[in-house]
Amino acid sequence: MWYNIDFNKIAVLLLPTSIRKPKIIAYLKVLLSPVVELHELFLQKQKLDVFRLEHNGQVCYLRKALNDVFDNDLRRIEINGSNKFSPEFIYTPIEEKPKFLGTIFIHSKVDYSDTAVDFIVRVPKSIYINRKYEIHKWIDFFKKGSKSYTIETF
């Protein structure tokens, strides 16, 4: 990796050999500790930025990103399209439009085609309970602005 720098090693190597004593080396390490800490924070941020750049709002990448972050071992998070059922209308007797009811399935409000839900994210209940806001944050980061979603637990 391009940014792997061992500041302590560089400091010791730049010291003249005549003054390379344990106390001076320890003193240099103490002086360099804030720089080393900032470098570690930079590496963590760079790793997160690369991860975000490698993923986008496509279903396969979004599912991979969510599974990498929240369920890396079992990879149980799924993304499905919304069902888009057409609604069945039942008329009142005053409207005088007879309708044979037959078998009608009752669906959730978000399952019908006139709602604004574009995809459904299925998350295990054990993960969703503990990390609900993080999951929403990651989905909102990757999804397109015009798309909406709902989360189902199982």
Side-chain angles (χ1 to χ4, degrees):
M1 188 174 204
W2 294 27
Y3 302 112
N4 282 340
I5 302 170
D6 190 356
F7 289 102
N8 293 325
K9 183 177 180 181
I10 291 174
V12 171
L13 289 176
L14 290 176
L15 271 178
T17 54
S18 60
I19 59 171
R20 285 187 193 170
K21 307 288 184 218
K23 286 184 179 180
I24 293 178
I25 292 172
Y27 180 68
L28 276 176
K29 286 183 180 181
V30 168
L31 288 177
L32 287 173
S33 63
V35 175
V36 171
E37 186 177 332
L38 283 174
H39 181 67
E40 289 173 4
L41 289 173
F42 167 75
L43 289 178
Q44 290 173 358
K45 176 76 170 116
Q46 190 250 355
K47 185 178 178 182
L48 178 65
D49 289 345
V50 167
F51 179 82
R52 286 181 172 172
L53 287 172
E54 289 175 346
H55 299 85
N56 59 29
Q58 292 178 343
V59 172
C60 57
Y61 291 119
L62 180 58
R63 185 180 62 233
K64 180 185 180 304
L66 291 173
N67 278 315
D68 285 348
V69 174
F70 299 107
D71 194 21
N72 200 17
D73 296 331
L74 300 175
R75 307 190 76 76
R76 296 172 289 178
I77 297 175
E78 301 171 358
I79 298 177
N80 302 323
S82 64
N83 295 326
K84 305 285 186 193
F85 295 108
S86 59
E88 294 284 334
F89 295 103
I90 301 172
Y91 298 101
T92 62
I94 297 173
E95 293 174 305
E96 295 180 2
K97 294 183 180 179
K99 172 86 173 170
F100 176 70
L101 297 178
T103 305
I104 295 179
F105 297 100
I106 299 175
H107 301 286
S108 174
K109 183 171 72 172
V110 297
D111 288 341
Y112 290 105
S113 58
D114 59 346
T115 60
V117 176
D118 295 311
F119 62 95
I120 299 168
V121 180
R122 298 191 71 235
V123 181
K125 191 176 282 190
S126 59
I127 296 173
Y128 187 71
I129 289 172
N130 297 329
R131 303 179 79 180
K132 175 174 149 179
Y133 298 110
E134 289 179 74
I135 292 171
H136 283 283
K137 181 188 84 165
W138 278 93
I139 296 172
D140 289 338
F141 180 81
F142 285 117
K143 77 174 180 70
K144 292 182 180 179
S146 63
K147 301 293 182 184
S148 62
Y149 65 95
T150 185
I151 295 179
E152 290 181 358
T153 59
F154 60 92

